[in-house]
């Protein structure tokens, strides 16, 4: 079980991350006990690596006008993000990681069916909460919290839909085969961070606002507290984890449908 992902000093850790092996990248989420332990190992490995990793990430060209935004001025979404009618009788809480392939599968294949049948008809609301497995995940989750509220879910959907493009494990394996481990890690992180920043700019954040967001320690503190609550209250240790009216259920469509129908009857 993940006991601690990072300290609230997000400004100093958000810019750096090292992932030790391709196997760790592949085993970042899931339901089995082995996957759960792998998730905890990744979180611990990432935090340890953050203390010695280089302090710079990729710089991506920004065509927006230059401006200065302080961390104090960078507001953020410090509340649950809810999809659907807030007064819907059934509440689904989803804990998910942006770098988890199982989470991408859920968002791309299962969630649209739930949304069409239950959310759009006012029967269900979905509360999305980040459960971060590594520092790249932490960065992307932090940026998502600094967007205008109306753009939050479109941004998250875009990251899940294009996960294999921006979090390309095959590219990491290729880099590892052709470079020493430190260089491979650095090049992979630069590539991923560049893609995340590109998507963030498309969603409405310029470079100054992205930097201010990542320097705002309150963002990391909020996300950390949400994750700690998941571990302590719901015993979450894998992603995606689905909670329906306070009860943990399977993350496949049949299990979720069954639980919703039982709650409606």
């Amino acid at each position: 079980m993940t006991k601690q992902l990072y300290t609230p000093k997000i400004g100093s850790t958000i810019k750096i991350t090292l992932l030790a092996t391709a196997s760790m990248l592949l085993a970042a989420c899931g339901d089995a006990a082995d996957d759960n332990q792998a998730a905890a190992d990744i979180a611990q490995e990432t935090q340890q690596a953050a203390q010695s990793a280089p302090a710079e990430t990729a710089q991506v060209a920004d065509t927006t006008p230059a401006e200065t935004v302080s961390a104090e001025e960078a507001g953020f979404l410090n509340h649950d993000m809810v999809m659907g009618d807030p007064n819907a009788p059934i509440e689904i809480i989803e804990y998910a990681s942006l770098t988890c392939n199982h989470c991408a599968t859920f968002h791309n294949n299962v969630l649209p069916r739930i949304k069409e049948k239950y959310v759009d008809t006012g029967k269900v609301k979905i509360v999305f909460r980040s459960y971060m497995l590594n520092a790249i995940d932490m960065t992307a989750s932090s940026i998502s919290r600094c967007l205008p509220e109306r753009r939050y879910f479109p941004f998250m959907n875009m990251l899940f839909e294009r996960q294999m493009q921006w979090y390309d494990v095959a590219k990491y394996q290729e880099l590892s085969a052709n470079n020493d481990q430190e260089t491979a890690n650095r090049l992979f992180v630069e590539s991923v961070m560049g893609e995340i920043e590109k998507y963030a700019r498309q969603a409405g954040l310029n470079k100054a606002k992205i930097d201010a967001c990542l320097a705002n320690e309150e963002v990391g503190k909020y996300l950390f507290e949400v994750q700690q609550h998941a571990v302590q209250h719901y015993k979450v240790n894998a992603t995606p984890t689905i909670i329906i009216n306070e009860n943990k259920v399977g993350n496949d469509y049949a299990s979720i449908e069954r639980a919703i129908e039982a709650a409606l009857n």
Side-chain angles (χ1 to χ4, degrees):
M1 183 177 294
T2 305
K3 296 182 179 179
Q4 183 175 2
L5 178 64
Y6 58 92
T7 67
K9 293 292 184 179
I10 191 172
S12 60
T13 61
I14 201 72
K15 294 181 180 179
I16 42 98
T17 181
L18 293 176
L19 303 178
T21 63
S23 62
M24 281 191 172
L25 288 168
L26 292 167
C29 56
D31 299 310
D34 288 345
D35 287 338
N36 296 344
Q37 185 58 51
D41 290 344
I42 290 172
Q44 181 178 6
E45 186 77 21
T46 301
Q47 185 179 7
Q48 292 172 348
Q51 298 173 1
S52 59
E56 296 298 324
T57 58
Q59 299 297 313
V60 181
D62 193 350
T63 58
T64 54
E67 63 174 288
T68 300
V69 181
S70 69
E72 291 73 17
E73 293 173 325
F76 70 101
L77 302 172
N78 60 346
H79 54 270
D80 276 334
M81 300 304 298
V82 179
M83 179 186 298
D85 183 355
N87 298 314
I90 308 298
E91 178 184 76
I92 296 178
I93 301 174
E94 177 198 357
Y95 287 98
S97 159
L98 284 167
T99 59
C100 167
N101 61 324
H102 296 291
C103 298
T105 297
F106 178 83
H107 267 259
N108 297 333
N109 300 330
V110 179
L111 184 59
R113 298 175 64 188
I114 298 171
K115 183 177 182 298
E116 180 180 10
K117 185 173 182 179
Y118 295 109
V119 177
D120 293 346
T121 56
K123 299 174 182 177
V124 167
K125 63 181 177 183
I126 298 178
V127 178
F128 181 87
R129 294 176 181 170
S130 296
Y131 190 90
M132 300 162 292
L133 299 176
N134 52 62
I136 288 175
D137 201 344
M138 180 173 69
T139 301
S141 298
S142 297
I143 290 174
S144 75
R145 286 279 160 178
C146 295
L147 292 166
E149 188 163 352
R150 70 185 184 280
R151 294 181 179 174
Y152 175 83
F153 282 114
F155 178 72
M156 300 297 277
N157 290 339
M158 179 170 59
L159 289 183
F160 280 121
E161 289 172 1
R162 303 179 186 180
Q163 186 191 82
M164 293 184 67
Q165 299 175 31
W166 63 268
Y167 195 67
D168 187 351
V169 175
K171 180 173 183 177
Y172 178 80
Q173 294 170 331
E174 180 182 350
L175 289 170
S176 296
N178 296 313
N179 299 276
D180 61 84
Q181 199 64 62
E182 182 178 351
T183 300
N185 290 339
R186 176 178 55 79
L187 292 175
F188 180 72
V189 170
E190 287 179 355
S191 173
V192 172
M193 301 300 283
E195 289 299 305
I196 292 173
E197 289 195 5
K198 180 174 69 177
Y199 293 141
R201 292 201 307 275
Q202 292 174 3
L205 295 183
N206 61 21
K207 188 68 169 63
K209 291 180 180 179
I210 292 171
D211 290 344
C213 177
L214 298 183
N216 188 344
E217 295 175 2
E218 291 301 312
V219 180
K221 181 180 178 182
Y222 171 80
L223 290 171
F224 177 67
E225 290 173 349
V226 169
Q227 182 148 329
Q228 287 295 90
H229 180 266
V231 172
Q232 295 167 3
H233 187 70
Y234 295 115
K235 310 303 179 186
V236 175
N237 58 5
T239 56
T241 291
I242 305 298
I243 313 292
I244 298 182
N245 284 1
E246 294 296 302
N247 297 308
K248 189 182 295 187
V249 304
N251 55 41
D252 59 289
Y253 180 80
S255 296
I256 295 172
E257 181 182 47
R258 189 161 51 246
I260 292 174
E261 292 296 337
L264 288 172
N265 293 329

